[in-house]
Amino acid sequence: MKILVAIDGSVYSQRLLDYLAANREAWLGSSNRCTLLHAVLPVPPHAASMLDRNLLKDYYREEGEKVLQPAREFFAKHGFEAEFVCKVGSPASVISSTAEAEHYDLLMLGSHGHSSLGNLVMGSVATKVMAHCGVPVLLVR
């Protein structure tokens, strides 16, 4: 199975990683391929146009590494293998489009567990992903 795990560096992402570690045989066995994805919010276009392209590229790389490096260390500590990917864009769009375009079998997300009213008022990446993604989604709260 090809599994995409979306992380953002939050406590909810850590719960997701802990869930994977606790259920390693089911999700991280030799028959599964796991990719961890982090979406970095883009710099507003007007501001980005004033920045050197290499500076902006370095900024995105550094922001991605802030989230991916602890996940790499977690996976190494537990002896898990995975690919680590950082993309720039709106998290819900990046996650949904990556899951579909790269033909993942399952998408895993950590969730804050807001109520329906909370999602309506504040929005939720998980809610948007589930609404726009055709790939099965597993939410870990």
Side-chain angles (χ1 to χ4, degrees):
M1 182 179 335
K2 192 173 172 184
I3 302 170
L4 181 63
V5 179
I7 60 172
D8 64 3
S10 69
V11 66
Y12 307 103
S13 289
Q14 186 58 52
R15 284 185 192 162
L16 173 56
L17 295 178
D18 291 340
Y19 171 80
L20 286 171
N23 296 281
R24 68 186 309 152
E25 298 303 319
W27 304 113
L28 301 171
S30 61
S31 63
N32 295 334
R33 287 185 30 230
C34 187
T35 301
L36 275 74
L37 170 68
H38 174 60
V40 176
L41 287 170
V43 171
H46 184 67
S49 69
M50 294 181 195
L51 297 173
D52 175 72
R53 179 174 282 215
N54 289 328
L55 179 66
L56 191 58
K57 192 176 186 179
D58 288 345
Y59 167 77
Y60 288 137
R61 183 185 48 75
E62 289 170 10
E63 289 300 303
E65 282 304 306
K66 287 179 187 176
V67 172
L68 293 179
Q69 187 56 38
R72 277 190 191 95
E73 291 170 6
F74 181 88
F75 267 59
K77 175 184 170 185
H78 288 87
F80 304 148
E81 291 186 25
E83 179 182 1
F84 297 85
V85 177
C86 181
K87 295 185 178 185
V88 177
S90 165
S93 297
V94 167
I95 294 165
S96 297
S97 63
T98 300
E100 290 182 338
E102 297 181 22
H103 308 288
Y104 281 90
D105 300 307
L106 179 67
L107 169 59
M108 299 177 96
L109 297 166
S111 174
H112 296 181
H114 293 304
S115 66
S116 296
L117 179 59
N119 285 339
L120 179 65
V121 174
M122 294 181 287
S124 163
V125 170
T127 300
K128 291 174 186 172
V129 167
M130 289 189 304
H132 296 101
C133 188
V135 174
V137 177
L138 174 65
L139 292 178
V140 176
R141 291 185 179 182

